[in-house]
Amino acid sequence: MNQIPVTVLTGYLGAGKTTLLNRILTEQHGKKYAVVVNEFGEIGIDNDLVVNADEEVFEMNNGCICCTVRGDLIRILGGLMKRQGSFDGILIETTGLADPAPVAQTFFVDEDVRRRTWLDSIVTVVDARHVVQRLEDSHEALEQIAFADVILLNKTDLVSADELAQVERRIRSINATAIIHRTQRCEVDLAAVLGRRAFDLDRILAIEPNFLSEDDHEHDDAVKSVCLRTDRPLDGARLTGWLQRMLAERGQDLLRTKGILSIAGQDKQFVVQAVHMLMEGNFTKPWDPNENRESRLVFIGRNIDGTELRQQFDACIA
Amino acid sequence: MSSSAEQGTKSLLDRIGTKRMLHAYVVGVAFLEGGVLAAALGDGRVAFIGSENANAPRFVSVHDGVCLSLAVDLGGERVLTGGDDGRLVSTDTAGETTAISAIDGRWVEPIAVSMASGLRAAGFGKTVCLFARDGSAVGTFVHPNTVGGLAFDPKGRRLATAHYGGASLWWAKAGGQQPKRLAWSGSHLSLTLSPDGKDIVTAMQENELHGWRVSDGADMRMSGYPAKVRSMSWLPKGRFLATSGAEPVVCWPFHGKGGPMGKAPLDLGWGVDGVVTVVAAHPRHDVVAAGYEDGATILVQIDRPHPVLVKQPGEGAVTALAWSADGQHLALGTESGFIGRVRLSDWRAPT
Ligand SMILES: [Zn+2]
Ligand SMILES: [Zn+2]
C-alpha cells in the first residue's frame, strides 16, 4: 500500500487559511485531496472527501504533558486509508487556536499512521498586519510559527515595506528554517506549498544562519532558533546520547529539532527530527563525495541557550 | 520447487476453498442465515456472495464513502453497516436498504447488535444511540470523548463503551442515568465483553489491553504487544481471549480464579512470520483463525501450537475474518479486496 503525503495547515484566525484551502480544492492541479477540517461549512465547495475533525487531544500514557496526540486524527486517517486510490494527498486544517504539536506528534507516535502516511509539511498562514501583536498575546500563534516548514506571510499589501521587513525578521528569529513566501490573498504557486517533502529537511543545508541579530529583544516566552554546524564528523554514540538526554530533559521546551548530520565512519547522512521529546533518526542518502560534509542541527524552542548548546554539540565531534 | 514441497504447503483455500477479488478494502465479513456471505467494502458497497461459487456476487451501494463497520442485523438475514457518510443502514440480500439513522458530518464506526434484546447500538462520535427492531431511537448516551468501541452484555440489557480515559457501562433501557465509569488513563480504541458478561476488555493506543471485572471494577493489564491490538475474540465459554497485535496469536486465560492476572498468555501459531492483524475464534471448538499483515491466514488449536495454513501470503493484510454460526464455514477478507471462503465440514485437523 502506498504512503500518502499529508500537509498540515495552521494559522491564526483571519490570517487567510480558508482562502488557501479553497484555492487548493478548486484550482486545477491534477491532484485530489482529502480534507480534514475543524468546522464544516467554512470551506465553500462541495467535496465528498471533506471530513469533520473533533480535535481530540489525548495525553499518552507516559505521564508527560507535552506527549500528546490527536486521537480523532488517528481514527480519521485509518478510515481514509480504506478508500484506496481515491485521492492523492491529505490536508489537515487545524483551528486558529490549536497547538500544532499534537498533530505533528501523531505522525511520530502512531504506527498505523506512520505506515500509511508521511507528514509532508506544516504550512502556517500568517497575517502580516497582526502577527506581531498576535505573538505578544497568543501562545498558539507562536507555536504555529515555530512548527512551520512553510510560512505564507499573507496580506503583505496591507503593510509598508519597512513593517514587512520587521515582521519577517521577527518570524525568522523564532523559526530559522521555514521557507517564507510573501503573499497577498494567499496567491502563491501551490507547488510551493504542497508536495514539499519539507519534513525531509534537505533544505536545512541551504539555511543561512547569520540572520539572528544580537539585539533582538527577548520576550517572556521567547521562542527562538539555535542553529549549530560543523565541518568535522561527529561521534555517533555521543551525539545520539546527547540528543536523547536533551530531549528527555528539555523536550517540553524544545518544540522542533531537525538536523542533517555527518557521522564519523558513515557514508550516509544521519537525519534527525523531533517534536518535543519524540525523536526519529535515520541514515538516509549517501553524502555526495564531492560535497563538503557539513553537519547542521537546528533547535527551535523556549529557554534555549545557544552558547551552552554549541559547547555540548562540539563535545560530540569525533 | 518440487511438487511434494508445494503439496506440503498447499493451503485449505487452494484445496477446498473459493476465492474472489472485489478490488476494494474489505472492512468486515459476516455469514447470514442461509449461508450467504456479506462483505462490507471500503468503496461504500456491501457484497453478498451466495454459497454457489458460480453465481456472481450482488453488490449494493450502501454508503456514500466508506463502510466503516459491519454486523449481522436482527433476525440474522440482513447486515447492519456504519459509514463515513454518517448513516447507519440495514441491508438485505436482495439489495433493499433501510437507513436507520443519519447524522451529517459524523462517522458511524462502532456498532453492535443484540439478538437477545432486539437492540442495535451505534456510535456517532461522542454519542451512542440505541435503536429498536422497528428502527426507532430508544436511547442516547453521551460521552466526554469519541466512542471507539461498544458491546452489549449477553442479555442485551447493558451496553459497554470504550473511550479516552476508560470505559462506561450503561443500562440499555434507562433514561437519565449516570453510567458506571471504569477509569484507566489513556485512549481505549475498541472493546469486548466476555460471553458471561463478567469481564470487559479494551484495546488501547499504547499497544496493550486493559480489562475490568464488572462486579468490583478490578483492573487487569495485559501488555507486551509490539503492535496495536485491533482484533479480539472469545473462545467458547470465554475460557480464552484470542488477540491480534503480536507474532504468535496471544490467548489470555480467563477461566480460573483471577482471570489472566499473574498468568502467562498462550502463544499459538509459532512458525508463521509477521504480525497477526485479525483473529476469530471458532464458535464451538478451541480453534482460532488468525490473519496476518502479509495476507497469510491460519487455523490453530489451543492445545496444538502448530497451525494449519488456510491462505498463503499475498493480497495485502488480512482485515476481516468470520465463522458461520455453526462453525462449518470460514471467510476472510484483505485490504486489497480478496475474499476467501472455506467449508470445513469435511475437514479434520491433522492429529
Ligand atoms: Zn513529553
Ligand atoms: Zn513575548
Side-chain angles (χ1 to χ4, degrees):
Chain A
M1 201 171 268
N2 290 334
Q3 280 186 304
I4 308 270
V6 177
T7 304
V8 176
L9 210 50
T10 76
Y12 215 72
L13 305 167
K17 198 174 43 177
T18 309
T19 311
L20 179 63
L21 196 54
N22 276 324
R23 276 200 53 209
I24 295 170
L25 292 177
T26 50
E27 281 179 26
Q28 296 297 317
H29 43 65
K31 296 247 195 285
K32 192 166 182 193
Y33 287 90
V35 190
V36 181
V37 295
N38 54 73
E39 290 275 350
F40 258 153
E42 233 184 74
I43 51 173
I45 55 149
D46 187 35
N47 179 329
D48 63 338
L49 284 168
V50 176
V51 185
N52 208 9
D54 287 324
E55 302 219 338
E56 289 188 283
V57 176
F58 293 163
E59 280 174 29
M60 287 162 56
N61 238 349
N62 62 1
C64 174
I65 55 158
C66 78
C67 291
T68 51
V69 295
R70 283 273 304 273
D72 59 321
L73 213 49
I74 294 173
R75 213 163 27 241
I76 288 168
L77 293 172
L80 285 173
M81 288 308 128
K82 293 173 177 143
R83 298 179 175 242
Q84 289 166 345
S86 57
F87 54 90
D88 307 289
I90 299 170
L91 291 171
I92 298 169
E93 182 208 22
T94 67
T95 58
L97 291 170
D99 175 351
V103 181
Q105 288 174 166
T106 299
F107 291 85
F108 281 74
V109 167
D110 190 86
E111 59 189 292
D112 298 327
V113 168
R114 288 169 58 134
R115 197 159 61 91
R116 303 293 181 72
T117 63
W118 45 272
L119 185 51
D120 184 68
S121 59
I122 298 175
V123 178
T124 299
V125 185
V126 166
D127 179 338
R129 258 183 324 172
H130 294 128
V131 64
V132 175
Q133 182 57 40
R134 281 290 89 80
L135 288 170
E136 294 303 323
D137 58 29
S138 159
H139 174 81
E140 291 81 9
L142 195 62
E143 307 252 331
Q144 288 167 2
I145 288 174
F147 269 90
D149 298 295
V150 176
I151 292 173
L152 295 197
L153 184 52
N154 197 31
K155 307 194 180 182
T156 54
D157 49 330
L158 303 178
V159 292
S160 70
D162 275 359
E163 286 169 318
L164 192 58
Q166 212 183 329
V167 167
E168 193 163 325
R169 236 168 56 95
R170 178 80 176 96
I171 291 172
R172 272 275 167 252
S173 76
I174 297 165
N175 186 330
T177 65
I179 292 182
I180 300 177
H181 297 285
R182 297 180 172 191
T183 61
Q184 300 169 16
R185 287 167 295 282
C186 289
E187 279 161 8
V188 63
D189 182 357
L190 291 180
V193 176
L194 302 168
R196 302 301 299 161
R197 276 251 180 213
F199 240 68
D200 278 359
L201 312 176
D202 276 353
R203 95 180 105 74
I204 287 183
L205 289 171
I207 290 162
E208 181 47 60
N210 300 323
F211 52 80
L212 283 175
S213 60
E214 298 304 320
D215 56 46
D216 258 341
H217 89 281
E218 290 278 326
H219 298 258
D220 301 339
D221 62 343
V223 173
K224 64 177 182 185
S225 297
V226 169
C227 307
L228 305 170
R229 55 176 177 175
T230 179
D231 289 335
R232 295 158 64 192
L234 297 154
D235 181 280
R238 244 181 289 156
L239 177 82
T240 50
W242 171 58
L243 283 173
Q244 280 165 358
R245 225 170 25 250
M246 274 281 293
L247 294 176
E249 287 166 11
R250 310 282 313 279
Q252 294 188 12
D253 280 342
L254 293 169
L255 304 180
R256 286 192 75 176
T257 303
K258 358 184 184 183
I260 295 179
L261 302 156
S262 167
I263 305 295
Q266 292 285 347
D267 295 334
K268 288 181 172 168
Q269 299 181 344
F270 186 62
V271 173
V272 161
Q273 50 176 316
V275 175
H276 285 303
M277 49 184 60
L278 302 173
M279 181 173 77
E280 210 172 71
N282 295 301
F283 285 101
T284 58
K285 63 179 181 191
W287 290 97
D288 180 345
N290 301 317
E291 85 186 315
N292 179 19
R293 287 176 55 150
E294 186 185 53
S295 293
R296 295 241 182 167
L297 185 60
V298 177
F299 293 102
I300 301 175
R302 295 190 171 85
N303 308 315
I304 51 177
D305 178 347
T307 315
E308 183 193 341
L309 290 171
R310 155 63 57 193
Q311 282 168 359
Q312 294 171 343
F313 182 63
D314 285 349
C316 298
I317 291 170
Chain B
M1 203 189 289
S2 75
S3 61
S4 61
E6 277 172 22
Q7 199 72 38
T9 57
K10 215 166 181 196
S11 67
L12 289 184
L13 208 49
D14 287 332
R15 279 159 46 204
I16 55 171
T18 58
K19 311 171 193 178
R20 286 180 190 281
M21 180 46 88
L22 303 184
H23 300 291
Y25 191 108
V26 180
V27 174
V29 290
F31 285 98
L32 304 180
E33 293 281 319
V36 174
L37 175 66
L41 304 176
D43 60 7
R45 295 181 302 171
V46 171
F48 293 106
I49 304 163
S51 50
E52 299 302 320
N53 197 38
N55 298 339
R58 178 194 295 274
F59 290 100
V60 186
S61 291
V62 177
H63 294 283
D64 182 17
V66 176
C67 294
L68 291 170
S69 49
L70 170 85
V72 177
D73 203 0
L74 299 172
E77 294 175 336
R78 308 171 66 97
V79 291
L80 186 69
T81 53
D84 69 356
D85 56 355
R87 300 196 316 142
L88 177 70
V89 182
S90 181
T91 306
D92 70 15
T93 54
E96 189 211 322
T97 60
T98 309
I100 292 168
S101 186
I103 301 181
D104 233 17
R106 284 283 145 220
W107 284 21
V108 189
E109 190 144 20
I111 62 174
V113 175
S114 173
M115 301 292 175
S117 63
L119 292 172
R120 302 112 147 187
F124 298 80
K126 297 172 186 172
T127 302
V128 172
C129 298
L130 281 188
F131 302 96
R133 204 174 291 276
D134 63 2
S136 58
V138 292
T140 301
F141 307 130
V142 181
H143 298 76
N145 292 101
T146 297
V147 172
L150 47 81
F152 283 102
D153 76 349
K155 292 182 176 163
R157 291 187 188 148
R158 302 190 89 177
L159 181 75
T161 56
H163 44 79
Y164 181 57
S168 298
L169 197 55
W170 304 82
W171 290 102
K173 287 202 171 154
Q177 61 180 312
Q178 286 300 316
K180 178 172 180 170
R181 296 266 189 223
L182 300 162
W184 189 262
S185 63
S187 188
H188 300 258
L189 306 175
S190 63
L191 176 146
T192 183
L193 250 158
S194 60
D196 61 8
K198 289 180 179 167
D199 297 299
I200 290 173
V201 180
T202 61
M204 299 188 64
Q205 172 72 29
E206 284 87 1
N207 297 356
E208 62 183 53
L209 304 181
H210 194 82
W212 293 271
R213 199 156 59 204
V214 172
S215 60
D216 59 0
D219 290 295
M220 301 173 246
R221 292 186 73 179
M222 290 156 274
S223 56
Y225 290 89
K228 259 190 240 171
V229 179
R230 271 183 285 191
S231 177
M232 302 183 274
S233 183
W234 295 93
L235 275 84
K237 301 194 179 100
R239 290 177 62 235
F240 290 92
L241 178 65
T243 60
S244 70
E247 268 206 17
V249 182
V250 175
C251 297
W252 295 94
F254 275 76
H255 54 289
K257 223 172 174 224
M261 287 304 84
K263 296 173 196 156
L266 283 183
D267 291 346
L268 306 177
W270 286 106
V272 186
D273 290 335
V275 172
V276 178
T277 49
V278 201
V279 289
H282 191 280
R284 293 182 188 172
H285 301 295
D286 280 345
V287 169
V288 180
Y292 287 76
E293 61 186 350
D294 66 356
T297 306
I298 60 164
L299 282 180
V300 65
Q301 227 169 318
I302 283 290
D303 44 10
R304 267 188 221 106
H306 289 289
V308 171
L309 190 66
V310 175
K311 180 186 169 297
Q312 301 277 6
E315 288 86 25
V318 180
T319 51
L321 273 175
W323 292 94
S324 61
D326 61 7
Q328 299 211 350
H329 300 261
L330 174 70
L332 64 93
T334 75
E335 62 184 355
S336 71
F338 177 90
I339 297 272
R341 177 178 177 155
V342 183
R343 186 178 173 185
L344 292 155
S345 37
D346 303 324
W347 174 78
R348 288 275 170 274
T351 47

